[in-house]
Amino acid sequence: MAKWIMVVDDDTSNLKMAGNILSKNNMRVTALKSGRALLDYISEKGAPDLILLDIKMPEMDGFETLRRLRDYEKEHDHPETPVIFLTADENTGSETKGFEMGVSDYIRKPFNPEVLLRRIDNVISMQTEMQSLKSEATIDKLTGLLNKAATSAEFSKMCVKSTGCLMMIDLDSFKLVNDIYGHEMGDKVLIAFANLIKETVPQGSKVGRLGGDEFAAFCLGVQEESEVADITKQLNEKLVSKAKELMGEDMKIPLGTSIGAIEVPKHGNDYTSLLKLADKCLYIVKKNGKHGYSLYSSDLLKDEETDTIMDIKSISDILGERNITNVALQLDMEAFSHVFRFATRYFIRNNINCSKVLFTLSKPEDMSYEDYQDACDEFGNHIRESLRKSDMLTRSRYNQYFVLLTDIREKFVSVVAEGIIRTWDESDNPRLDIEYDSEYVRNNPGNGIEDNEAEIAIVDDDDVNLDVASGVLIHKGLTVHTYSSGEEFLKEISMAEKLPDLLLLDIKMEGMSGLEVMDKMKEMGSDLAAIPVILLTGVENDGLEIVGMEKGALDFIWKPFTPELLKVRVNRILELVTLRKKYHKPVQSDRA
């Protein structure tokens, strides 16, 4: 299918030139003359594969158009359309601003046809791969529902912002399907049941698979017990009917569904705490006959606390987390105080370093108090989702969050804290004045987490460029290796146990050029050839850029570069590198 490109420029000659180049290369082109026309068109007819957007336009410039486009996509839950800025401006400040806002690339005007086509192809290819990797990261492969990690992230947001009912849904007697009819039939039943949940819950609800035959749903707007009872009844009836359709009318397995439910925000808005209560309600249903529901009330679990003697598993089930999500543990102050005391003793006993961080939020002058309170609530969820599941936090005041970072080196505390603030500011969140204090607790000077940051190799025969580039990236918390020639890099890398995640490679060097280094890397094997490359050059030469991209370079950085520009361009490539590594599509491999 032909790629669909929108070109937005108030200069008719630029529209005609770009349209002519793209049309001749079998692309579908829509030409528009303003940012407003772009937003109106997308709202009526949908988004293209990519947008070429001029920065300097009257009424609404490219930056404002991009901001409104991202707001529209977020509001309507649409994926972000890749945008390439068109500009004749050589101001690196505006380039940095664009990348920070989420632009995919820049193309200078007047543009070279081959450069234009190569950069469009690069951006669309990277966007497609990243969307595929993100989908793989969030979607359960069997059922197509949200997977466990994505369920935690999405439901955490819904529990804060929406009114509804959080349900834990369990298939009763499912093991018998696998035992009698085999796992292939079991998969068919799970897929069918997932579809039944989606069609039964109200519109706008979210459904996820927690694992095995355990599912969760946030049923939007559901606040009455009669609604929970109706959903349970429908699911049980539909499930039996579908199971007989799949396994035959003589199917005798007592399949059904049990549901533990809790109203939101009536009983709170913290997903982890709510899920535990819903899980306990589910346990009550399972213990009392299955194929039903239990809706949480403050008296319900007290009724369960009788003098019955429980075994170790029952107590563990009640105390523990049924599904440990990949986010930090958030507790109220009372519960946190007990865990904090134990953790402190444990860290001292086992020589584990940790750090305490206190975030304090202040209200901007132009923000209403109600919006400020909502933003403070949401910032807590942002912290939870930004940290590891081994970290902990509590809300010490309405505008303060106390965080305990476990097993961390001192130099990374500021990286983590400032990263939380930066990602909040970079997202479409309400603006807050955010400050933090930290206190590092060193229980063993030699102990700490292993470095998990990306490793960058820089090859440049100019010592000043090496020092500037490595200094900027090391300050970001990255591990950097520098080489003063292509020959030195190839010699060292051929014996290295681990390959770099990203290579910054100067084109014009004494001896072997950067392009020759790329050729040698391909000759030396697929592992080396797969390392993402950003080419560095002080010569703005369209021919060099075309050749570099033909050889596989993902980006160009023109020298002299500013630290801000280097960071945003490296970040753009590292996002893809990180996704590849995280979801088992490595760009390099360790060597024995």
Side-chain angles (χ1 to χ4, degrees), residues 49-279:
D49 297 302
L50 181 138
I51 298 169
L52 296 173
L53 179 60
D54 187 31
I55 292 180
K56 289 191 175 180
M57 296 185 293
E59 297 182 18
M60 188 189 300
D61 67 11
F63 294 112
E64 179 64 14
T65 302
L66 178 61
R67 185 189 67 77
R68 294 193 186 189
L69 173 64
R70 294 295 184 241
D71 287 345
Y72 172 83
E73 290 167 336
K74 183 176 181 181
E75 181 183 348
H76 293 83
D77 198 25
H78 292 169
E80 290 189 356
T81 305
V83 174
I84 296 178
F85 271 158
L86 303 176
T87 180
D89 187 3
E90 295 187 3
N91 183 349
T92 57
S94 67
E95 189 169 342
T96 301
K97 178 182 176 182
F99 279 117
E100 289 174 346
M101 290 180 65
V103 74
S104 297
D105 207 350
Y106 270 75
I107 296 178
R108 305 288 178 193
K109 295 190 292 186
F111 38 75
N112 179 294
E114 288 191 63
V115 171
L116 177 68
L117 294 170
R118 286 282 179 183
R119 287 197 172 270
I120 287 174
D121 186 61
N122 262 6
V123 168
I124 291 179
S125 296
M126 287 178 63
Q127 183 81 1
T128 301
E129 182 179 0
M130 290 178 71
Q131 286 179 347
S132 175
L133 289 169
K134 287 177 179 178
S135 176
E136 182 179 335
T138 59
I139 301 301
D140 177 64
K141 291 180 180 178
L142 178 65
T143 64
L145 301 178
L146 296 172
N147 63 21
K148 184 169 70 173
T151 297
S152 175
E154 288 295 322
F155 284 28
S156 292
K157 295 174 185 175
M158 292 193 79
C159 286
V160 169
K161 297 180 178 180
S162 304
T163 297
C165 187
L166 177 63
M167 296 182 178
M168 280 203 69
I169 305 171
D170 196 71
L171 263 176
D172 300 327
S173 306
F174 173 72
K175 184 176 183 297
L176 293 174
V177 177
N178 286 330
D179 292 344
I180 298 171
Y181 293 91
H183 288 277
E184 184 176 346
M185 179 57 72
D187 288 347
K188 290 181 181 179
V189 171
L190 288 173
I191 294 169
F193 186 60
N195 290 329
L196 291 177
I197 300 174
K198 286 193 292 184
E199 71 181 41
T200 303
V201 296
Q203 186 175 3
S205 302
K206 296 270 187 181
V207 183
R209 184 185 180 200
L210 302 180
D213 57 358
E214 295 177 350
F215 299 81
F218 188 97
C219 297
L220 192 65
V222 171
Q223 287 283 279
E224 300 293 333
E225 183 169 356
S226 60
E227 296 173 286
V228 178
D230 183 56
I231 290 172
T232 306
K233 180 174 181 290
Q234 286 191 58
L235 281 178
N236 275 297
E237 291 175 352
K238 292 176 180 178
L239 176 61
V240 173
S241 175
K242 189 65 179 179
K244 289 185 176 180
E245 180 184 320
L246 291 171
M247 291 176 278
E249 288 295 326
D250 59 345
M251 191 276 301
K252 301 299 183 185
I253 296 174
L255 276 175
T257 184
S258 296
I259 295 178
I262 185 167
E263 296 158 287
V264 181
K266 179 178 179 180
H267 297 292
N269 61 10
D270 178 68
Y271 169 69
T272 303
S273 301
L274 292 166
L275 190 69
K276 286 179 74 172
L277 295 174
D279 190 27

Side-chain angles (χ1 to χ4, degrees), residues 381-398:
N381 289 317
H382 176 69
I383 296 175
R384 286 180 59 244
E385 294 167 8
S386 300
L387 298 178
R388 305 162 297 174
K389 58 188 173 187
S390 57
D391 299 322
M392 298 180 287
L393 71 147
T394 189
R395 194 170 186 170
S396 50
R397 291 185 62 211
Y398 74 95

Side-chain angles (χ1 to χ4, degrees), residues 269-274 276 319-321 327-343 380-381 383-384 387 389-397 400-404:
N269 61 10
D270 178 68
Y271 169 69
T272 303
S273 301
L274 292 166
K276 286 179 74 172
L319 293 175
E321 290 183 79
V327 296
L329 176 64
Q330 183 172 3
L331 301 167
D332 60 48
M333 278 287 282
E334 182 179 359
F336 186 89
S337 66
H338 298 297
V339 176
F340 180 77
R341 291 167 192 160
F342 168 77
N381 289 317
I383 296 175
R384 286 180 59 244
L387 298 178
K389 58 188 173 187
S390 57
D391 299 322
M392 298 180 287
L393 71 147
T394 189
R395 194 170 186 170
S396 50
R397 291 185 62 211
Q400 284 190 312
Y401 288 91
F402 182 87
V403 176
L404 182 65

